[in-house]
Amino acid sequence: MQETRPTAAAKPARWAADTVAAMREGARLYLDYSAQSLWRVDRMIDEIRREGAPYAAVEHVLRGFGAYAGEVVARQTGAEWWSAGDDHWIRTPDGRLWDPVEEARRCFAGQGSLRLLCRDATASAR
């Protein structure tokens, strides 16, 4: 069964808010839900990868960064969170589906960018 916002948004919105608080307190990284802040998130993920952290150790951090990126897209475009089981994705007003949590994992693998996902999702929603 699929759920739509606000029900589906509860978990990712909380993950995003927790990430904002953790980055502010732990890394002195201020995230303001702007598209520009995703540059800093991409750089942070890149640093974590370069340090050689095992995926299992950063899985929840990546989920939080992805949820944060999804919230940025939702706030800029009016997109809604959708979920099925443990999967959460954003649906922009044009009907396209985006998976920012998976994109955060791709960033950690050196193959993605939350900033570019946001750019593409906001452009498609115009």
Side-chain angles (χ1 to χ4, degrees), residues 12-65:
R14 185 176 64 242
W15 298 334
D18 289 349
T19 297
V20 168
M23 290 298 105
R24 183 180 57 243
E25 294 166 14
R28 299 280 187 244
L29 179 67
Y30 295 93
L31 301 176
D32 60 2
Y33 293 96
S34 69
Q36 294 80 12
S37 69
L38 293 174
W39 282 92
R40 295 188 295 273
V41 173
D42 278 349
R43 283 197 309 270
M44 178 68 73
I45 294 172
D46 192 45
E47 287 176 29
I48 293 169
R49 183 181 75 252
R50 283 196 315 259
E51 290 171 1
Y55 175 77
V58 297
E59 183 176 1
H60 291 300
V61 172
L62 295 172
R63 182 186 70 187
F65 282 143

Side-chain angles (χ1 to χ4, degrees), residues 78-107:
E80 294 185 334
W81 281 102
W82 288 66
S83 68
D86 289 336
D87 296 326
H88 294 81
W89 62 94
I90 288 284
R91 183 175 185 169
T92 47
D94 64 357
R96 291 184 64 186
L97 295 174
W98 306 86
D99 191 341
V101 175
E102 179 59 29
E103 191 67 14
R105 294 179 188 124
R106 288 175 34 81
C107 289

